[in-house]
Amino acid sequence: MATERPDVPGAKSPPPEVGSPVPLAALLAALVALLVLAGGLATWWSLARASRSRPLVLATGPEIGAYHALGSALAGLIEDEGLAPRVTVRATAGSGENMELLAAGDIDLAIIQSDTNAHESVRLITGLYDEALHVLVSARVAEEVSRLSDLHGRRVSLGGANSGTRQVAERILAHFEVVPGEDLALAPGEAVERLEAGEVDAVFALTAVPSPAVAAVAGHERVRFLTLGDAQEVGSEADALALVYPRLHAATVPRGTYGRVPVEPVRTVGVKAQLVGRRELDEGLVLDLTTAIFAERNRLNDTDHEFSFGDRLAESYTPGAGGLPYHPGAVAYYERFRPSFVVEYAEPISLLLTLLVGVWSATLALRGWFRRARKNRIDAYYVEVVRDAPDLTRATRGELLARRDRLVKVRERAFTDLVNERLEANESFSIFQSHVDGELASIQRRLAGMQESPSS
């Protein structure tokens, strides 16, 4: 059947044809949507490729230290996995300098110790291994230096400038109010050489256990270990330091770690070596890096260092415990087996849905009760109107006036209930209103007729 055209009165427009072509506007809209989608995918792909085509810089520590050996192994792993075309391993003084380089954006990744003062632009990727503080004393003064307080006024090496060892050593000496007579900022290799030569009274070295640098001099008669309390004692100096500085933990160098020495367990403090990176690093890159580290951890043992890094690597995810927030890419790795939100909170969600259904059912029931109450109220008004209704054709003037007054009062009460929401302006109310208005009109006509015919 033809239909009328809205623009021409009386004109007929042909019915739509089956299989008519798609409007040009729809085709253009679909084409634009496809182009936007393709552009978004191309941008994502190019950014993902760019994050893996840019060289990375990894800061470590002194070239003879464990950080540098592990950093070199990590760099090889990153390159072999295709996460970056080249990784430059940068030797530094240690954790303090590494944190400054990260904050300045000069490097991408770094190995630091967990008690390093954090910067807001740095994110944690993974913990690596535990380190212990070695306090080595020259045998020349061993009889005079048996406690940490005995280092007061002595020549000591607290570690290189801006190194993690120095940070820990300075905190410890400040806590126990020990002031060295001469503070020598020596690199680890030079420090142990001068200690063995008797040119330095004590050396602080925060490193892995066992440490090749410590092993090189520990077995000689010219070096002794200084302990921070009895290893079997609860409440030693090491325990006090761990309590005051939460990022330090009590640690022990077991008896015989370096061959015949130490003769007795050495009580000390330790930290966690950590791999960190810039906050701006691509999330996918960090996810793949974290995955590769744990999947290929055995490859981290293949270094010139005697310490087996891969064997000490343990997957641990404790937000807030490392002093730094985790990088989102690392979080994606650690939470890869975490159930979805719906699965994890199935019981609370089920309870909530049950409560919502109950509330909704109660609301519907209450709403139905109100509707019935309003319907009953309007029905009561309607009954009141039709009850005892006189025959208008036989009613006297007085009866008509009385009836009119009653109808007006009933209508006023009904409108008051409507205003106070005890009635609804629905079809029932319209019927009631029409009935009252009709009867009032009939009464008015009847009264007018009586005025025109006084004899009646």
Side-chain angles (χ1 to χ4, degrees), residues 88-366:
T88 300
V89 180
R90 182 169 175 176
T92 66
S95 297
E97 182 180 353
N98 292 351
M99 186 64 73
E100 293 177 358
L101 292 172
L102 283 168
D106 295 336
I107 61 174
D108 304 290
L109 300 166
I111 301 176
I112 65 169
Q113 58 194 50
S114 55
D115 68 321
T116 307
N117 293 328
H119 190 274
E120 61 178 7
S121 64
V122 179
R123 294 293 181 266
L124 176 61
I125 297 176
T126 183
L128 297 171
Y129 60 90
D130 289 321
E131 297 181 287
L133 178 67
H134 296 70
V135 183
L136 304 176
V137 178
S138 171
R140 181 178 53 83
V141 297
E143 296 296 330
E144 305 169 16
V145 179
S146 60
R147 300 177 62 87
L148 197 65
S149 57
D150 295 332
L151 293 178
H152 192 85
R154 298 281 181 177
R155 289 179 301 169
V156 299
S157 173
L158 303 182
N162 213 6
S163 67
T165 297
R166 173 166 288 274
Q167 292 177 5
V168 173
E170 288 179 344
R171 288 172 183 169
I172 292 175
L173 294 184
H175 177 76
F176 293 110
E177 299 181 351
V178 176
V179 181
E182 186 177 359
D183 177 8
L184 305 174
L186 302 177
E190 182 182 1
V192 294
E193 288 178 2
R194 295 184 62 176
L195 176 68
E196 193 175 19
E199 298 175 3
V200 178
D201 294 331
V203 167
F204 286 71
L206 184 64
T207 182
V209 181
S211 165
V214 175
V217 298
H220 300 176
E221 295 295 329
R222 292 184 292 272
V223 175
R224 300 288 188 273
F225 287 86
L226 183 64
T227 185
L228 302 182
D230 189 336
Q232 308 301 323
E233 178 186 0
V234 176
S236 63
E237 290 94 331
D239 295 319
L241 291 169
L243 183 63
V244 175
Y245 302 105
R247 294 182 190 173
L248 297 178
H249 60 264
T252 301
V253 179
R255 179 174 55 241
T257 298
Y258 299 97
R260 292 178 300 171
V261 293
V263 177
E264 296 294 336
V266 175
R267 192 64 165 168
T268 183
V269 291
V271 295
K272 189 83 170 182
Q274 299 174 326
L275 178 64
V276 298
R278 292 188 298 110
R279 176 180 54 195
E280 295 79 13
L281 283 177
D282 178 70
E283 182 175 338
L285 172 64
V286 176
L287 171 59
D288 292 343
L289 170 60
T290 312
T291 303
I293 288 174
F294 288 102
E296 303 292 336
R297 68 181 69 190
N298 288 335
R299 294 173 58 181
L300 300 181
N301 292 332
D302 188 17
T303 68
D304 295 333
H305 201 280
E306 296 180 7
F307 189 77
S308 300
F309 298 105
D311 294 340
R312 305 297 179 92
L313 185 64
E315 185 175 325
S316 176
Y317 176 54
T318 310
L324 285 170
Y326 277 87
H327 192 284
V331 174
Y333 172 80
Y334 295 121
E335 295 186 346
R336 64 195 183 281
F337 298 128
R338 182 176 179 178
S340 65
F341 178 84
V342 174
V343 174
E344 185 174 3
Y345 297 98
E347 291 187 4
I349 291 175
S350 176
L351 177 60
L352 178 61
L353 289 176
T354 302
L355 291 175
L356 290 176
V357 170
V359 171
W360 179 249
S361 300
T363 302
L364 292 178
L366 187 62

Side-chain angles (χ1 to χ4, degrees), residues 46-55 82-86:
S46 63
L47 290 176
R49 288 179 59 86
S51 67
R52 287 162 172 74
S53 62
R54 188 177 66 82
L83 304 182
R86 185 177 70 260

